[in-house]
Amino acid sequence: MNIPEGLLYTREHEWVKIESDMATIGITDYAQFSLGDITFVQLPAPGADIQKSSVIATVESVKAASDVYAPLSGKVARINEEIVANPEIVNQSPYEKAWFAVIKTRDLSEKQGLLDQYEYKKYLDELNA
Amino acid sequence: MENAQLKYTPLLSNHKQLSARLGPFGGWMMPIQYKGIIAEHNWTRQSASLFDICHMGEFLIRGTARDMEKDLCFTSNLALMPVGGCRYGFILNESGGIIDDLVAYRMGEDEWMFVVNAATKDNDLAYLRQKLPPDISIEDISDKTAKLDIQGPLSSEIMKALAGDGINALGYYKHGRFELIGCNAVISRTGYTGELGFEIYADSRFAQQLWQAILADERVRPAGLGARDTLRLEMCYPLYGQDIDESTTPLEAGFEVFLDLKKDFIGKPALLKQRCDGLQKRLIVFTMGTRQSPRHGDKIYIEEKEAGYVTSGSFAPSLGIGVGMGYVENGYDWIGARVLIKNERFELPARITDKPFYRKGTLRK
């Protein structure tokens, strides 16, 4: 599984890239692989106020639907319309082209508890042991 | 069910070699997908796919046609089937509820084969042993029988290369005995995908050899149960345990055509009464307006009233939208009706349509 460095991860398999007070969010390679062919993505409305750990998006694969949770609180600054039109991008490019949303964060101390690449790798190893 | 208790087909190592994702189905650990459900679905519609269906059960039933006239277990008349023919039908309980759906093969003058679902096999066997007249014998040949399905528009070309030109003479819902890479096989022109296809039954010791020989043709790729499910759903074929079970009758499911009401069978009086009294619910099929998909257990609302529930739902790769099947109260089942599908994630409009969703299949070509 691809787990790039420089990103933070959740135990629910979201990734987050923090640049100043902006956080870009997506789902991990492990998440897209586990879901299989993704057929639909529902994103939040731009401007929506998001609480940490609340549902920020929904992804549907051929067989199931799953929620995506916000790793941080804040306001939705941008969303990636391209993955709504072409959900297969989430399978093809989970870290680059398939970002879900950018959030203007409210409290960067919330990143405490997110995992770095090594911790996330260890967590996946435990999950699949 | 714990994975350790699950059964494995003789092709497990082949699936692992192909990096299949395995998952439990009907008491078996089965390949769900190899490269991806949508790719496997599309390949089946345009070329040909090979499915490991060894988990399904096979029974050999022996008796004379005269004995078979006394059979009350199957909804079709086994005595009147032609040798070499196949029939889809049901085993019912006294209330007309569906114990299983199956395909019966007349193998010879005095021999029939029932091909039953994996999860219901043991129950079917016990029921048949109890209900069949004493002159009729039944043998469970599931463990020694491998079943491989090849489905897709190119499947007859591929099978012709392996089993000879005789395969082309096999009509829809007919079967015959063929020599296939040196082993004897029963091959039928049947399947569950809406495409031209064949189901192959052979000694399970030849399963790996057959699997490899068929896959050696580059026009064939392996497909898992995930694609099998989306393919059958696009054809509105029911999945036992999901769309039909002991709480539903063939009349409610819209399968009266598979009931031979000229013969007696267990459940027939209940069905006749049900037909006379009027059905409480009926199986409908519907399309969503978007790619969002209904799922088993979602609720169906009509005119702001909860009128039924979804039994099968998925994204339909050939259509590019969500589709589903489900039961609604009688009177709400008219084609064209607008309904609302509700679950924890959405409330979305859908429209009841005619069967099947997918009409371009090569099934009868």
Side-chain angles (χ1 to χ4, degrees):
Chain A
M1 288 298 151
N2 182 14
I3 308 172
E5 64 176 311
L7 305 180
L8 295 172
Y9 299 90
T10 69
R11 288 180 174 78
E12 287 75 40
H13 311 291
E14 292 90 9
W15 59 262
V16 54
K17 183 180 182 182
I18 299 173
E19 293 165 300
S20 117
D21 64 343
M22 302 302 259
T24 307
I25 292 159
I27 64 168
T28 66
D29 191 29
Y30 176 84
Q32 70 77 19
F33 179 81
S34 305
L35 289 166
D37 295 328
I38 290 170
T39 55
F40 179 82
V41 179
Q42 181 149 43
L43 296 177
D49 199 58
I50 300 288
Q51 293 296 318
K52 179 179 171 158
S53 303
S54 65
V55 174
I56 190 174
T58 306
V59 285
E60 290 189 17
S61 65
V62 177
K63 295 279 92 185
S66 307
D67 290 327
V68 178
Y69 300 96
L72 299 163
S73 306
K75 207 176 262 292
V76 176
R78 286 168 63 208
I79 55 168
N80 185 356
E81 300 276 9
E82 210 186 328
I83 62 167
V84 177
N86 301 297
E88 63 277 7
I89 295 173
V90 182
N91 293 117
Q92 293 158 359
S93 178
Y95 298 111
E96 279 101 39
K97 291 187 186 157
W99 55 277
F100 279 47
V102 177
I103 287 179
K104 186 175 167 52
T105 60
R106 238 192 328 264
D107 178 6
L108 273 177
S109 72
E110 286 180 340
K111 73 179 181 186
Q112 298 299 321
L114 297 177
L115 310 175
D116 66 22
Q117 67 181 115
Y118 303 105
E119 291 166 330
Y120 183 57
K121 163 102 178 46
K122 189 165 168 257
Y123 174 66
L124 289 189
D125 290 344
E126 284 164 11
L127 272 187
N128 295 304
Chain B
M1 187 179 282
E2 292 293 320
N3 284 359
Q5 294 172 288
L6 294 170
K7 292 195 258 185
Y8 297 92
T9 80
L11 296 167
L12 180 68
S13 61
N14 303 68
H15 301 319
K16 286 187 171 168
Q17 214 167 38
L18 291 161
S19 307
R21 289 201 219 170
L22 300 163
F25 182 86
W28 292 70
M29 187 59 104
M30 297 299 293
I32 306 301
Q33 64 174 67
Y34 302 84
K35 298 280 185 208
I37 294 174
I38 293 179
E40 289 159 32
H41 177 110
N42 291 339
W43 192 256
T44 313
R45 294 257 183 259
Q46 71 191 55
S47 186
S49 295
L50 185 63
F51 298 82
D52 173 7
I53 309 293
C54 292
H55 61 308
M56 287 184 77
E58 294 87 12
F59 306 146
L60 265 191
I61 294 171
R62 293 191 184 90
T64 64
R66 203 178 168 81
D67 297 331
M68 287 300 170
E69 285 171 6
K70 294 177 279 181
D71 156 56
L72 299 176
C73 293
F74 192 51
T75 57
S76 282
N77 194 324
L78 293 166
L80 294 182
M81 279 178 73
V83 174
C86 307
R87 287 269 193 289
Y88 178 76
F90 303 100
I91 302 173
L92 304 178
N93 63 25
E94 297 287 350
S95 321
I98 302 171
I99 290 175
D100 205 359
D101 65 331
L102 63 96
V103 178
Y105 289 60
R106 187 157 188 186
M107 312 291 284
E109 275 304 317
D110 299 329
E111 192 172 78
W112 286 257
M113 179 170 71
F114 277 9
V115 182
V116 302
N117 284 297
T120 48
K121 190 204 85 175
D122 292 343
N123 186 43
D124 293 350
L125 188 64
Y127 188 79
L128 290 169
R129 283 199 165 130
Q130 186 195 344
K131 301 288 184 185
L132 282 174
D135 298 338
I136 302 174
S137 74
I138 176 162
E139 181 190 355
D140 179 5
I141 56 164
S142 309
D143 288 345
K144 59 183 179 188
T145 306
K147 179 175 187 291
L148 303 184
D149 292 4
I150 178 169
Q151 299 277 298
L154 303 187
S155 58
S156 69
E157 287 302 309
I158 293 153
M159 288 305 291
K160 194 168 80 175
L162 290 166
D165 290 348
I167 210 84
N168 282 356
L170 211 52
Y172 182 57
Y173 257 64
K174 297 282 189 292
H175 67 87
R177 291 176 195 273
F178 293 84
E179 193 181 306
L180 194 57
I181 60 156
C183 79
N184 295 316
V186 170
I187 302 178
S188 59
R189 236 202 82 187
T190 50
Y192 224 55
T193 62
E195 300 298 334
L196 172 71
F198 302 87
E199 298 186 281
I200 304 163
Y201 303 86
D203 188 313
S204 57
R205 288 171 297 182
F206 294 103
Q208 293 197 329
Q209 216 175 315
L210 277 172
W211 176 264
Q212 282 160 355
I214 297 168
L215 280 186
D217 190 315
E218 61 187 18
R219 294 170 292 181
V220 190
R221 292 180 185 170
L225 294 187
R228 189 172 155 91
D229 194 47
T230 52
L231 289 157
R232 70 95 196 160
L233 180 57
E234 285 187 345
M235 291 304 294
C236 301
Y237 294 154
L239 179 63
Y240 192 85
Q242 209 163 288
D243 307 303
I244 51 174
D245 58 27
E246 288 205 47
S247 73
T248 55
T249 71
L251 298 182
E252 292 165 341
F255 297 130
E256 188 163 349
V257 66
F258 301 111
L259 305 173
D260 183 348
L261 293 169
K262 293 200 269 312
K263 72 166 268 196
D264 286 330
F265 54 83
I266 296 165
K268 179 177 159 183
L271 294 183
L272 292 178
K273 182 171 186 310
Q274 187 180 46
R275 197 165 66 170
C276 196
D277 293 348
L279 302 176
Q280 296 300 304
K281 61 180 180 186
R282 290 194 69 107
L283 189 70
I284 52 110
V285 306
F286 58 90
T287 55
M288 309 294 284
T290 71
R291 295 170 68 95
Q292 279 189 279
S293 302
R295 307 289 176 185
H296 178 82
D298 289 355
K299 290 176 175 157
I300 302 174
Y301 276 71
I302 301 178
E303 293 165 358
E304 294 177 12
K305 175 183 182 298
E306 186 177 333
Y309 52 94
V310 175
T311 53
S312 276
S314 175
F315 177 75
S318 308
L319 283 76
I321 51 169
V323 300
M325 298 166 71
Y327 287 93
V328 295
E329 287 174 33
N330 195 22
Y332 288 103
D333 57 324
W334 49 281
I335 289 163
R338 288 169 189 275
V339 304
L340 204 60
I341 306 301
K342 287 195 190 187
N343 60 33
E344 295 154 354
R345 295 169 294 114
F346 61 65
E347 289 182 24
L348 285 173
R351 188 183 282 268
I352 297 178
T353 67
D354 207 353
K355 296 181 196 175
F357 299 119
Y358 184 73
R359 292 168 186 272
K360 297 181 205 154
T362 51
L363 180 68
R364 290 169 191 270
K365 287 181 181 162

